């Protein structure tokens, strides 16, 4: 009976953000978060390394810096600094953001990677300012706009999950029978474990699926061990591997992208508190999350890394497992930091096949879409809200599927909106929320009633 009681206590602690949880009991749950985001965290760095024509040593510096920044950024969100003003105090996991890749690629190819680092450093401080002032400007963003942002985040990730399910974008054997088999087995294991396991073990469904999928990939010879070649057993992250160069054009481009990222964080915090705590985020949590992303991004530039943001993959994981304990997730952050000093650890995680990740993440991303639908329902299905949601999602998702629509737009517009459905959906939803008239009919619900109440 004592063991059973302990299991109940552990399960309850995992669902409590502040509950004290023994370090060793939290490791498996923190490991889930690391495995869910590991490859996605490093992918933008691999891509930018190719654009910037970095050598092998510089690429290793980049990977180590990315792991260190992700671990420290996650810890900052869990345990805020400066009286809780920088950091969300939410179970957020930070990672390298894809939002900045297109702009970084252009700047790196024309002005060098140092100009990217200068823009990251200054732009991060701008996002800190956005976070510290979020209490004021956030009032201009109504609940229906936040709901649209969350929904667009989920929809924009669906193709990412599907590409991983097929073996990874650009894979020579994309969609092969082996890849689909690995992804499908991983998916079935995640779902089966989630619905058949009991107690605390139930919350390890993703980890179980990843392990089984990895073993199957090993049997089918689908694990790439090339990242283990010529590895040093221990290596310190390199400070200032790329000297920052401060170019005003690059800084302005990144400042605009930091603004877009801040809006994404609004959606992320709304989705996270919805699936993890069944409530809306407080102003302090949202402001702290944005400021935390900005500070860790500026710090990341000192290790040669592009900006970080909260990872939607991990929000989907919270939706599946309901694990929100910050000590459990901190153990995952510790693994990331540890991996930055021990390259072989990073190589193990980096060898995880895309098909295995796809089998797990496709469920997580779907959960984010559903969370967005639930937020839309809470805002209310008035004619005004339906118009805002329909038009913003149609333009956001539709325009990014036809990128040539921005062919004659200025390069800065192409960088911000060309492949970013979230940015387009946000801008359209925000403008509509400002210009469409409020509805006056009796019995209205959701957003209109809330806004009248505030007035």
């Amino acid at each position: 009976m004592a063991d059973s009681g302990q299991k109940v206590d552990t399960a309850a602690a995992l669902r409590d953000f502040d509950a004290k949880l023994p370090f060793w009991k939290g490791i498996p749950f923190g490991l889930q978060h690391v495995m869910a985001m590991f490859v996605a965290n490093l992918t933008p760095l691999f891509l930018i390394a190719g654009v910037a024509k970095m050598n092998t040593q510089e690429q290793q510096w980049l990977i180590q810096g990315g792991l260190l920044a992700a671990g420290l950024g996650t810890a900052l969100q869990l345990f805020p600094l400066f009286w809780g003003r920088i950091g969300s105090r939410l179970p957020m996991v930070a990672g390298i953001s894809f939002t900045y890749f297109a702009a970084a690629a252009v700047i790196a190819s024309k002005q060098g990677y140092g100009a990217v680092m200068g823009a990251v450093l200054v732009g991060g401080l701008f996002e800190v300012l956005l976070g510290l002032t979020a209490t004021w400007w956030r009032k201009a963003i109504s609940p229906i706009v936040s709901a649209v942002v969350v929904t667009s985040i989920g929809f924009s990730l669906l193709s990412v999950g599907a590409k991983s399910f097929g073996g990874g974008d650009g894979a020579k054997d994309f969609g092969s029978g082996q890849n689909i088999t690995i992804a499908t087995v991983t998916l079935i294991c995640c779902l089966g474990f989630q619905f058949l396991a009991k107690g605390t073990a139930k919350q390890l469904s993703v980890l179980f699926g990843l392990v089984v999928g990895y073993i199957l990939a090993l049997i089918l010879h689908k694990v790439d061990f090339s990242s283990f070649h010529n590895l040093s057993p221990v290596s310190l992250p390199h400070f200032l591997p790329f000297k920052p160069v401060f170019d005003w054009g690059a800084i302005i481009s990144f400042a605009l992208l930091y603004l877009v990222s801040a809006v994404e964080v609004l959606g992320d915090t709304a989705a996270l508190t919805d699936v993890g705590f069944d409530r809306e985020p407080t102003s302090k949590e949202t402001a702290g999350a944005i400021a935390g992303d900005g500070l860790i991004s500026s710090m990341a530039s000192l290790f040669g890394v592009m900006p970080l943001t909260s990872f939607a993959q991990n929000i989907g994981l919270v939706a599946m497992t309901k694990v929100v304990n910050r000590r459990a997730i901190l153990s995952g952050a510790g693994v990331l930091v540890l991996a930055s000093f021990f390259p072989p650890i990073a190589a193990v995680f980096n060898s995880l096949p895309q098909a295995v990740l796809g089998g797990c993440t496709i469920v997580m991303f779907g959960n984010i879409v559903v969370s967005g639908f639930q937020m839309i329902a809470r805002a209310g299905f008035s004619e005004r809200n339906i118009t805002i949601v329909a038009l913003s999602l149609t333009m956001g998702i539709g325009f990014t599927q036809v990128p040539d629509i921005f062919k004659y737009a200025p390069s800065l517009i192409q960088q911000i909106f060309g492949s970013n459905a979230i940015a387009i959906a946000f801008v359209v939803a925000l403008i509509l929320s400002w210009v469409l008239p409020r509805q006056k009919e009796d019995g209205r619900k959701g957003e209109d009633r809330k806004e009248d109440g505030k007035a």
Side-chain angles (χ1 to χ4, degrees):
M1 294 296 290
D3 289 343
S4 177
Q6 183 62 38
K7 286 182 181 179
V8 172
D9 292 340
T10 301
L14 290 169
R15 289 180 167 86
D16 187 330
F17 182 75
D18 287 308
K20 293 183 178 179
L21 185 73
F23 176 76
W24 295 108
K25 287 190 176 183
I27 287 180
F29 304 95
L31 199 60
Q32 279 193 140
H33 280 276
V34 171
M35 296 180 77
M37 58 78 75
F38 199 89
V39 174
N41 176 55
L42 296 180
T43 299
L45 299 181
F46 291 140
L47 295 175
I48 198 65
V51 172
K53 296 181 173 58
M54 296 182 188
N55 58 40
T56 302
Q57 185 180 47
E58 290 172 332
Q59 289 183 32
Q60 182 174 334
W61 292 342
L62 210 61
I63 292 171
Q64 288 183 271
L67 294 172
L68 179 64
L72 295 178
T74 301
L76 176 61
Q77 296 291 7
L78 297 169
F79 295 89
L81 300 176
F82 303 109
W83 301 281
R85 299 197 68 186
I86 299 182
S88 63
R89 204 173 177 276
L90 289 172
M92 303 183 86
V93 176
I96 310 301
S97 174
F98 257 112
T99 300
Y100 306 85
F101 172 73
V106 172
I107 295 168
S109 62
K110 293 182 178 179
Q111 297 149 278
Y113 194 65
V116 176
M117 291 299 94
V120 173
L121 177 60
V122 176
L125 298 177
F126 172 65
E127 190 175 22
V128 172
L129 180 63
L130 287 175
L132 295 178
T133 59
T135 303
W136 292 278
W137 62 262
R138 182 173 178 264
K139 294 176 181 178
I141 301 174
S142 60
I144 194 63
V145 176
S146 296
V148 165
V149 172
V150 172
T151 308
S152 61
I153 288 172
F155 276 125
S156 66
L157 287 169
L158 294 183
S159 62
V160 177
K163 288 175 182 176
S164 293
F165 201 93
D169 192 18
K172 293 180 180 179
D173 62 343
F174 183 83
S176 67
Q178 284 189 335
N179 284 333
I180 299 300
T181 298
I182 292 170
T184 302
V185 169
T186 303
L187 172 60
I188 292 172
C189 288
C190 286
L191 294 176
F193 200 84
Q194 182 180 1
F195 286 99
L196 297 178
K198 297 181 180 180
T200 306
K202 184 183 184 74
Q203 295 158 307
L204 290 171
S205 59
V206 173
L207 182 60
F208 177 76
L210 289 170
V211 171
V212 173
Y214 192 84
I215 293 172
L216 178 59
L218 282 170
I219 295 172
L220 297 176
H221 305 289
K222 295 293 291 181
V223 178
D224 182 7
F225 292 105
S226 61
S227 58
F228 290 87
H229 296 162
N230 303 320
L231 278 180
S232 303
V234 180
S235 177
L236 295 177
H238 201 77
F239 185 74
L240 283 178
F242 306 96
K243 183 179 178 181
V245 175
F246 300 102
D247 176 86
W248 277 111
I251 290 171
I252 292 172
S253 296
F254 265 70
L256 292 172
L257 291 171
Y258 272 108
L259 178 59
V260 173
S261 181
V263 174
E264 290 184 27
V265 174
L266 289 178
D268 287 339
T269 53
L272 183 58
T273 54
D274 179 62
V275 301
F277 305 101
D278 195 26
R279 62 172 176 82
E280 294 182 358
T282 65
S283 296
K284 185 176 182 180
E285 289 169 341
T286 300
I290 296 170
D293 273 4
L295 180 61
I296 196 59
S297 294
S298 285
M299 291 177 59
S301 70
L302 303 179
F303 294 93
V305 179
M306 292 198 300
L308 287 83
T309 191
S310 55
F311 259 36
Q313 287 94 323
N314 300 88
I315 298 173
L317 186 57
V318 169
M320 284 184 66
T321 65
K322 303 302 179 185
V323 174
V324 298
N325 185 278
R326 63 174 168 175
R327 288 172 175 80
I329 297 174
L330 182 65
S331 67
V335 170
L336 289 169
V337 173
L338 189 66
S340 72
F341 289 89
F342 296 93
I345 297 177
V348 170
F349 285 105
N350 199 41
S351 67
L352 194 68
Q354 282 285 333
V356 176
L357 288 171
C360 290
T361 56
I362 202 148
V363 181
M364 298 178 196
F365 298 160
N367 281 328
I368 297 173
V369 174
V370 173
S371 176
F373 290 162
Q374 291 171 333
M375 293 174 65
I376 292 170
R378 282 198 295 272
F381 290 106
S382 65
E383 182 182 6
R384 179 175 182 272
N385 284 354
I386 291 173
T387 302
I388 292 172
V389 172
L391 188 55
S392 57
L393 290 180
T394 300
M395 293 181 71
I397 298 169
F399 283 10
T400 50
Q401 291 178 350
V402 189
D404 282 349
I405 200 168
F406 295 105
K407 184 167 62 174
Y408 297 105
S411 58
L412 188 60
I413 298 298
Q414 294 182 36
Q415 290 174 18
I416 296 174
F417 298 108
S419 60
N420 195 331
I422 301 166
I424 297 173
F426 164 68
V427 170
V428 174
L430 185 64
I431 293 173
L432 291 176
S433 72
W434 288 345
V435 302
L436 291 182
R438 307 279 185 232
Q439 293 178 300
K440 303 295 185 180
E441 67 269 16
D442 293 335
R444 64 189 186 275
K445 297 179 181 179
E447 177 192 26
D448 298 317
R449 183 174 292 174
K450 290 178 184 176
E451 290 170 348
D452 286 351
K454 287 180 183 178

